């Protein structure tokens, strides 16, 4: 059974068709990296997977369950199986690092505070920031904020992690610390879909790479095939510009 399966997924903004009839399957423990030029539909596709954007057509199935926003019994539970990390960190400025990480499980899942606090501290330690538990976001670097955002998403105990260009807002010297946390997650077997411009990460960590352009999947395959011997001229042209 696939962890994620999209069938005929189509998204339209006004007169613009962002993408049409996109079909993917992601296996348990797989790291799928989506690359492509800006405006190719990558981030919107990711947001449609967890219904931050509602697709006009098609379906998203998570662990065998179809996401249906009209079915209140199943909708919330399916959505909670996915954690998401954005370009912007979106931390609550009036909360400490620990409070930011604890907030969702307590508010959304109604979990006991003591249980969540222990898990949150373990996750903050996991991303290398245990000494920052009582610090507010304004005192953190961009890389530290993004690592807190990852810990916050993990505190909901998701089965799947979605990353939307998580390093694009960071200074170059801070990118590595975030990518290292993501590499650790991949090694631990977390199912991940990552939209990124970090080709080194895509080459090293992904099990499969999708190249998107113009709202279409132009090419997909193993990273060594995509980067070393792309079949499509458009893929070659894109990689030649950025590698």
């Amino acid at each position: 059974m696939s962890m994620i399966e999209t069938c005929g997924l189509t998204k339209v903004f006004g007169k613009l068709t962002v993408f049409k009839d996109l079909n993917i399957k992601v296996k348990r423990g797989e790291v799928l990296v989506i690359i492509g030029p800006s405006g190719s539909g990558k981030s919107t596709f990711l947001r449609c997977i967890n219904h931050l954007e509602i697709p006009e057509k098609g379906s998203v199935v998570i662990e065998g369950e179809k996401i249906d926003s009209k079915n209140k019994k199943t909708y919330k539970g399916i959505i909670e199986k996915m954690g998401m990390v954005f370009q912007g960190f979106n931390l609550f400025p009036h909360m400490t690092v620990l409070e930011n990480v604890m907030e969702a499980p307590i508010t959304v899942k109604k979990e006991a505070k003591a249980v969540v606090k222990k898990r949150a501290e373990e996750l903050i330690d996991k991303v290398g920031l245990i000494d920052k538990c009582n610090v507010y976001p304004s005192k953190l670097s961009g890389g530290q904020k993004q690592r807190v955002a990852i810990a916050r998403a993990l505190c909901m105990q998701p089965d799947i992690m979605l990353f939307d260009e998580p390093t694009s807002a960071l200074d170059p010297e801070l990118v590595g610390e975030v990518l290292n946390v993501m590499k650790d997650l991949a090694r631990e077997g977390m199912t991940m879909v990552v939209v990124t411009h970090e080709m080194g990460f895509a080459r090293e960590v992904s099990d499969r790479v999708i190249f998107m352009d113009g709202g279409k999947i132009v090419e997909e395959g193993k990273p060594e095939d995509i980067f070393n011997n792309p079949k499509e001229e458009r893929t070659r042209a894109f990689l030649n510009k950025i590698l």
Side-chain angles (χ1 to χ4, degrees):
M1 181 181 69
S2 299
M3 291 291 281
I4 304 171
E5 184 172 354
T6 71
C7 183
L9 211 62
T10 299
K11 180 62 187 175
V12 178
F13 289 128
K15 294 182 179 180
L16 174 66
T17 299
V18 183
F19 52 77
K20 185 177 181 181
D21 294 331
L22 287 191
N23 304 293
I24 67 158
K25 290 183 179 181
V26 182
K27 296 183 292 187
R28 182 178 296 276
E30 184 177 16
V31 179
L32 173 66
V33 171
I34 305 176
I35 63 172
S38 298
S40 57
K42 309 182 302 294
S43 293
T44 303
F45 179 52
L46 200 67
R47 292 170 67 88
C48 281
I49 289 176
N50 71 351
H51 272 219
L52 283 175
E53 298 284 355
I54 306 300
E56 268 63 42
K57 287 173 57 182
S59 61
V60 179
V61 178
I62 303 298
E63 295 185 75
E65 293 185 278
K66 182 179 177 180
I67 298 179
D68 180 0
S69 58
K70 296 175 184 176
N71 187 338
K72 293 182 180 179
K73 283 187 177 181
T74 63
Y75 181 73
K76 182 168 174 282
I78 299 171
I79 295 299
E80 286 176 4
K81 291 180 178 182
M82 294 176 279
M84 187 157 181
V85 177
F86 304 86
Q87 295 178 43
F89 322 116
N90 299 334
L91 299 178
F92 294 114
H94 62 290
M95 292 183 178
T96 64
V97 165
L98 182 60
E99 290 167 342
N100 263 283
V101 176
M102 291 176 61
E103 178 67 12
I106 292 171
T107 304
V108 178
K109 287 188 166 182
K110 311 300 182 188
E111 289 189 67
K113 188 173 182 179
V115 174
V116 175
K117 184 172 186 287
K118 182 175 184 297
R119 184 165 75 239
E121 287 173 340
E122 289 172 352
L123 288 167
I124 294 167
D125 189 29
K126 180 187 181 78
V127 300
L129 292 170
I130 194 64
D131 60 326
K132 303 292 185 183
C133 273
N134 297 313
V135 170
Y136 288 91
S138 62
K139 301 297 184 183
L140 300 177
S141 70
Q144 290 171 332
K145 289 176 185 175
Q146 195 60 295
R147 284 187 279 156
V148 173
I150 293 172
R152 178 180 60 183
L154 290 172
C155 204
M156 287 289 281
Q157 298 181 298
D159 296 336
I160 297 162
M161 284 289 285
L162 308 175
F163 292 89
D164 183 12
E165 299 190 24
T167 60
S168 65
L170 302 179
D171 292 333
E173 66 267 26
L174 302 177
V175 168
E177 62 190 56
V178 174
L179 293 181
N180 285 336
V181 172
M182 294 169 65
K183 289 174 186 177
D184 287 342
L185 286 177
R187 281 191 286 266
E188 291 166 9
M190 174 64 76
T191 305
M192 297 163 59
V193 182
V194 184
V195 170
T196 186
H197 292 294
E198 296 294 333
M199 298 301 137
F201 176 86
R203 191 192 293 264
E204 179 186 348
V205 181
S206 69
D207 298 297
R208 185 161 48 106
V209 175
I210 284 177
F211 172 63
M212 280 183 68
D213 188 31
K216 296 178 181 178
I217 295 174
V218 177
E219 186 169 354
E220 65 177 293
K222 293 181 179 180
E224 56 267 30
D225 295 331
I226 295 293
F227 289 105
N228 298 336
N229 190 29
K231 294 186 177 71
E232 300 296 328
E233 176 57 36
R234 181 65 188 95
T235 313
R236 287 195 292 271
F238 173 76
L239 293 172
N240 284 339
K241 284 183 179 179
I242 62 171
L243 292 179

